[in-house]
Amino acid sequence: MGLFMCKGEIFEEVLSVVCDVTGLSKEDVLKSKTEESTDARFLLVKYLWRLMPVVCIGKLIGRTRQGVKAILQREKGDTWLMARNWKEIVKKLESRGF
């Protein structure tokens, strides 16, 4: 990851990979309440959390700090699909230097 990428660029890159892996649109990942979308949003936030503070993530996805923490603390057990998507997202982003 270029040290000079701004948070917005990092966010767009991570969101793009999450959309690519899950097959969902950016709009769906950020706003939809379907199970697939909430799973994808969790993966997005989980990855961004490695790179930036919760407050920044909240600003980027239009949620409060508490909203972001709620996404991160969800109780739902990860399905095999979630685990597979997470591995794929990590692999793609690491290959891009994140």
Side-chain angles (χ1 to χ4, degrees), residues 5-86:
M5 281 183 93
C6 74
K7 287 180 175 76
E9 291 171 316
I10 293 167
F11 170 73
E12 284 299 325
E13 190 75 19
V14 175
L15 179 58
S16 161
V17 169
V18 169
C19 291
D20 195 34
V21 170
T22 60
L24 296 167
S25 71
K26 292 180 179 187
E27 183 74 16
D28 282 344
V29 171
L30 295 174
K31 299 205 171 23
S32 176
K33 294 193 180 352
T34 66
E35 189 174 354
E36 294 127 319
S37 297
T38 35
D39 287 353
R41 192 160 40 248
F42 169 73
L43 294 171
L44 171 70
V45 170
K46 183 177 174 182
Y47 200 92
L48 289 172
W49 193 54
R50 303 165 121 196
L51 305 170
M52 59 184 74
V54 169
V55 177
C56 295
I57 298 168
K59 285 185 180 137
L60 291 164
I61 67 169
R63 303 279 171 114
T64 62
R65 191 178 79 237
Q66 293 86 346
V68 173
K69 286 187 173 171
I71 292 170
L72 283 169
Q73 292 171 344
R74 61 187 223 145
E75 292 298 313
K76 191 169 162 278
D78 291 350
T79 61
W80 67 269
L81 182 62
M82 285 275 293
R84 196 195 62 138
N85 285 349
W86 174 249

Side-chain angles (χ1 to χ4, degrees), residues 81-98:
L81 182 62
M82 285 275 293
R84 196 195 62 138
N85 285 349
W86 174 249
K87 280 190 187 134
E88 187 68 20
I89 289 164
V90 170
K91 192 171 81 181
K92 284 186 175 202
L93 286 165
E94 284 178 350
S95 74
R96 295 179 187 189
F98 282 83

